[in-house]
Amino acid sequence: MTISTFVKYKAKRLLAPLLFRYPPIGLQPERLHLWLDTLIATRNVPGAVVEIGCHLGGTAAFSARMMTRQGDRRPYVCIDTFGGFVSSEFEEDLKLGNTESNRHLFADNSPDLTRWVLDRHGAPDVKLIQGDIVSLNPSLIPEQISACLIDIDLAQPIETAMEIVTKRLAPGGRILVDDCPEDYDWQARKGYEAFMTKSGLTPSYKAGMGLFTQ
C-alpha cells in the first residue's frame, strides 16, 4: 500500500459511518438486477453463493439481506485481495489494453473495513476470504457453488476464476462476469472469452456481463 493509498484508507475508515451510510454497491443498476435475479433463480440449487472481487462488500451486504428476507440460507462467501490488484496481473492487463490510471483503484481497503460495512448493513454471516484467486489455496473455496459473481476486472485472474468455479458449479448453477462491454479499459471480457473459447463454448452477454450456466 502506497503512502497516498494508506492515507485514503485511514480517512475512509475514520469516516466510514458517514461514507457508507448506505451499502457501497459498485455494480451498475442493470447488473445488480441481473445478479439479484440470478440469486432468486438459483435458490434451490445446492452450494454456496460466491463473490470473487467484492471490494467494500456493498453488493454482498445488499444481496445477503435479500436472501435472508426470503429464507434463503445458502452460505455467502466473498474472496478478495482487499488491497487492490496484484501487480504482475495488472501488468499483463496493460498489454491487453488497460490503462495505467487504473492501477491503484480498490487498493485503499482491508478485510476489517469490509467486515464493518457488512455488519453495518445487516450481513454479519457473509464470510470473507483474503487472497488472490490465482494463487489461493483451493481448500478455502467452497466445494460446491450455486451462484458466482466474478468482478475482478483483469483478464488473467478472471480466466483462472472461471476454471476454478466451473469445476465446482452445481447443476443449474450460474456465473456472472462483470465489466464485459466491448471497447472497455477493463479486460474482463478477454478473460471470459478466453475461458469460453478454450472450453469450446460460445460467449453470451447480458447487460454488459458474461454469462455461464451449468
Side-chain angles (χ1 to χ4, degrees), residues 78-146:
C78 292
I79 300 170
D80 201 293
T81 65
F82 298 105
F85 300 121
V86 174
S87 180
S88 60
E89 295 168 7
F90 190 83
E91 290 295 335
E92 290 301 313
D93 230 57
L94 284 177
K95 298 175 185 177
L96 297 174
N98 208 329
T99 59
E100 183 63 34
S101 60
N102 291 328
R103 181 182 292 274
H104 298 296
L105 293 179
F106 315 116
D108 51 342
N109 194 18
S110 73
D112 174 68
L113 179 55
T114 302
R115 178 81 272 157
W116 185 94
V117 170
L118 290 166
D119 292 348
R120 170 69 174 78
H121 293 291
D125 294 329
V126 172
K127 181 179 180 181
L128 300 181
I129 298 174
Q130 185 173 18
D132 171 24
I133 191 62
V134 172
S135 57
L136 189 67
N137 185 334
S139 67
L140 298 176
I141 304 170
E143 293 184 2
Q144 190 171 46
I145 297 172
S146 58

Side-chain angles (χ1 to χ4, degrees), residues 34-35 38-39 42 45 48-52 145-152 158-170 172-178 180 192 195-196 199 201 204-206 209-214:
L34 184 56
W35 173 236
T38 294
L39 294 178
T42 59
V45 176
V49 172
V50 177
E51 278 190 46
I52 304 177
I145 297 172
S146 58
C148 182
L149 172 61
I150 301 176
D151 187 8
I152 40 182
I158 284 175
E159 183 177 355
T160 299
M162 290 289 293
E163 292 170 354
I164 293 170
V165 175
T166 52
K167 293 175 182 177
R168 298 166 185 251
L169 199 64
R174 300 184 187 183
I175 300 172
L176 300 182
V177 182
D178 193 28
C180 286
Y192 166 72
F195 169 80
M196 297 294 281
S199 302
L201 302 171
S204 177
Y205 301 96
K206 187 174 183 179
M209 303 182 96
L211 311 178
F212 180 94
T213 301
Q214 188 69 291

